Structure formats: structure tokens, C-alpha cells
Amino acid sequence: AKHDGRNCWRLYHPAMEEQIVQRRELENELRVAIHANQLQLVYQPRYDVRTGKVTTIEALIRWQHPRLGLLTPDQFIPLAEDTGLIFQMSDWVLTTACQDAVEHFGSLSVAVNISAIEFRVSGFVSRIHHVLTTSGLSPSQLEIEISENTALSDPERVTDIMLSLKSIGVRFLIDDFGAGYASLSYLHAFPFDGIKLDKSFVIPTDTSENARRVVENIVGLGKAFSLHITAEGVETKEQQTYFESLDCDALQGYFIGRPVSLGELKQHLSRQTAS
Ligand code: C2E
Ligand code: CA
Ligand code: CA
Ligand code: CA
């Protein structure tokens, strides 16, 4: 009876089949989206505590979906990772971000989020070389953020990749630091230049003494490893003051600046240059 047809099968597994169909549909749409100009980048400033200026711009992807509207990365990055589409998507992100940086960011650096999965196959170093050459961006203006939430496997190989790119000036940051279980082992295993404190620790510091204790330990850990430390998710004046008092190197978050379109970012930057 199960094979009598679609309707009958549906009777047994309605929710599951529905999900599979939707997922396949979204996968096909994502394949198209990369070529159909539906992907966009928004840009969020990172502010340097010592100079009081924006020094880096982080690129964050969005998908302007024809049917579902504007999608955030959480809604399609996992799918892109599972299907391997992440490579094409990431090439688009790198190319666009580096071109925008050359054309509009002056001497500022640009930070791009790269999935740990992209280190599992060969070719990462040449992909980066290619995008640097074609855009003309100086390697010392490129930062690569890798979230701690997905495991970096094969430490020796990944270390070689990182060292090769670091030798030309590219910097590497651990994103979402503290949120996963890998924090300490990552500091030992990989030659990272900096950490970005996960916003889930940053936001509660306003109200929770415990949160502050945890944060102070993480910042101490970063300093013990001589790492550049960014607090992300800074949403209030109090948080800004607090993280500056901890001697963090950089701040990022809605209080400093929301992720905005390239056009809006250019306006903000021209104001900074003017002041
Ligand atoms: P992330 O790299 O940790 O980026 C920070 C996220 O927090 C962004 O969400 C940003 O919009 C948001 N955010 C920034 N400031 C604040 C704040 O003050 N408060 C709060 N509550 N949130 C803030 P978004 O853009 O939805 O990105 C989510 C994640 O998706 C990113 O987290 C990153 O891991 C991933 N992602 C984004 N763009 C790309 C990409 O091009 N490639 C890959 N592989 N992953 C990406
Ligand atoms: Ca990031
Ligand atoms: Ca993060
Ligand atoms: Ca994140």
C-alpha cells in the first residue's frame, strides 16, 4: 500500500516528505541564486578601541529570495554546506567583498566568513591567491573568520594552509570564540591571529556578574596567547565601556554600527574621514 502512489505514501510520512521536497526545492533555487544576482553582501564595521576608528569591514551574506524574501545566513548556509554549494557561494562572497574593498574601503581591511568545510578539500590557498590577484587587494587587507562551531579537521594540513596565507599577510580569526567546545584546543593547534568573543557572552554582561566573570577569563586567555581580541554583539553604551575597560582591541555590534548595504557603508565611511 505504501507504493500505491504519492498520496498514499504521504499518509504515512506527510511531514517528512514535505520537508524533503522543500529542501530539494531550496537547493535548486540556491543553485540558481548564485548566478541570478540574488545574493547580496551587507557590511558591518569593526571599530578599533585604541584609535577610535573603523579599521575593518565584515562581509555578511544575504539571499534575496524571489518567493521567501530576504533570507539570513542561518536559513541557507547549512544547506550550502551539505550540498557543496558553499564553494561557489564563497567564491562569490570573496570576489565581491575584495572588489568592494579595493574600490571603496581605502586602507581598511575586509573580513570574510569562511566555512570550516572549505578546508576539507584542497585548493583553498589557490582560491585565495586567485581572488587577491584578480581584485588587486593587498593580502594584508584580508581577514578570514572561521567559526568555532564547525570543526576544523586535520590540524597539520589546515596549519600549513594558514601559514602559507599568513606568510603573505592574510590574517585568521576564530569566530564565535567560547561558544563551542574547541576554544582551547584551537588556540594550541592553529596559528590564529585573533579571536572574536561570541555575542552570547557579550550581551549578558550588562546584567550578569557571572557573564562578566566568564568574559574576563576568556579575554585573559586571549591575552595570554597574544591574540587580537574583538568583542562582537556590542549593543549598548554600557557594553562598549565595559569591553574597553577590559582592554579589548576591537568592538563590533549594533551599538557601533549595524550591518548595512554598500551604499550606506560608504556614507558612514565618508563621515569618518571627514571627522
Ligand atoms: P557571525 O560571523 O558571528 O556574524 C555576526 C552575526 O551577528 C551577524 O548575523 C550579524 O548581523 C549579527 N550581529 C552583529 N552585531 C550584532 C549585535 O550587536 N547584536 C546581535 N544580536 N547580533 C549582531 P548574520 O548576518 O545573520 O550572520 C549569521 C552567521 O552566518 C555569521 O555569524 C556567520 O557565521 C555566517 N555567515 C554570514 N555570512 C557568511 C558568508 O559569507 N559565508 C559563510 N560561510 N558564513 C557566513
Ligand atoms: Ca564573523
Ligand atoms: Ca561571531
Ligand atoms: Ca555566528
Side-chain angles (χ1 to χ4, degrees):
K2 237 177 153 179
H3 301 285
D4 276 359
R6 210 180 150 83
N7 290 333
C8 200
W9 194 87
R10 274 184 171 228
L11 217 69
Y12 293 101
H13 305 283
M16 224 172 96
E17 194 196 19
E18 187 66 24
Q19 259 184 17
I20 294 168
V21 169
Q22 274 181 14
R23 214 183 127 83
R24 197 161 300 152
E25 193 175 15
L26 202 65
E27 178 183 339
N28 290 331
E29 290 170 333
L30 186 56
R31 222 175 278 280
V32 174
I34 299 173
H35 305 287
N37 252 344
Q38 292 169 14
L39 300 181
Q40 303 170 354
L41 291 180
V42 288
Y43 289 110
Q44 187 179 35
R46 189 192 308 158
Y47 153 99
D48 182 78
V49 171
R50 233 143 274 135
T51 59
K53 298 230 153 148
V54 172
T55 50
T56 310
I57 307 292
E58 179 176 3
L60 296 160
I61 196 168
R62 299 287 180 267
W63 177 8
Q64 186 64 58
H65 191 284
R67 206 160 32 82
L68 304 171
L70 194 67
L71 303 184
T72 54
D74 298 343
Q75 295 170 281
F76 60 91
I77 293 281
L79 179 71
E81 290 177 339
D82 290 349
T83 55
L85 286 169
I86 191 75
F87 290 90
Q88 272 171 275
M89 177 184 291
S90 200
D91 282 339
W92 178 83
V93 171
L94 280 161
T95 305
T96 309
C98 291
Q99 270 171 7
D100 284 349
V102 167
E103 286 172 32
H104 306 289
F105 299 174
S107 60
L108 305 187
S109 296
V110 64
V112 174
N113 294 284
I114 295 292
S115 167
I117 285 164
E118 296 177 66
F119 289 84
R120 292 186 194 160
V121 301
S122 62
F124 187 73
V125 172
S126 47
R127 287 172 64 208
I128 297 296
H129 280 161
H130 179 76
V131 76
L132 288 170
T133 310
T134 48
S135 66
L137 185 74
S138 160
S140 59
Q141 285 176 276
L142 179 63
E143 292 187 3
I144 292 174
E145 301 188 1
I146 306 167
S147 171
E148 190 193 275
N149 291 324
T150 322
L152 280 171
S153 40
D154 201 347
E156 273 181 36
R157 216 174 57 80
V158 173
T159 299
D160 284 346
I161 294 171
M162 290 174 70
L163 289 176
S164 158
L165 291 170
K166 277 163 65 83
S167 74
I168 59 169
V170 176
R171 293 182 298 279
F172 288 87
L173 305 183
I174 311 180
D175 207 341
D176 307 321
F177 189 80
Y181 300 98
S183 309
L184 259 177
S185 63
Y186 268 30
L187 293 186
H188 284 292
F190 303 106
F192 280 101
D193 300 284
I195 58 177
K196 293 184 77 174
L197 218 66
D198 192 65
K199 56 178 182 285
S200 65
F201 296 110
V202 172
I203 294 168
T205 54
D206 272 355
T207 49
S208 160
E209 168 70 32
N210 272 337
R212 287 195 292 274
R213 252 200 295 272
V214 170
V215 157
E216 282 156 32
N217 275 294
I218 299 178
V219 170
L221 188 65
K223 290 200 176 287
F225 280 83
S226 304
L227 293 164
H228 185 275
I229 303 169
T230 301
E232 71 167 21
V234 174
E235 294 183 345
T236 64
K237 175 74 197 158
E238 288 71 27
Q239 287 161 2
Q240 172 171 356
T241 310
Y242 173 67
F243 281 94
E244 286 184 351
S245 79
L246 291 188
D247 202 21
C248 280
D249 299 289
L251 306 178
Q252 213 177 335
Y254 294 162
F255 187 73
I256 314 288
R258 289 183 174 263
V260 292
S261 68
L262 177 64
E264 277 179 79
L265 179 82
K266 280 159 62 184
Q267 291 182 355
H268 293 309
L269 292 179
S270 63
R271 256 174 257 143
Q272 167 167 302
T273 328
S275 65

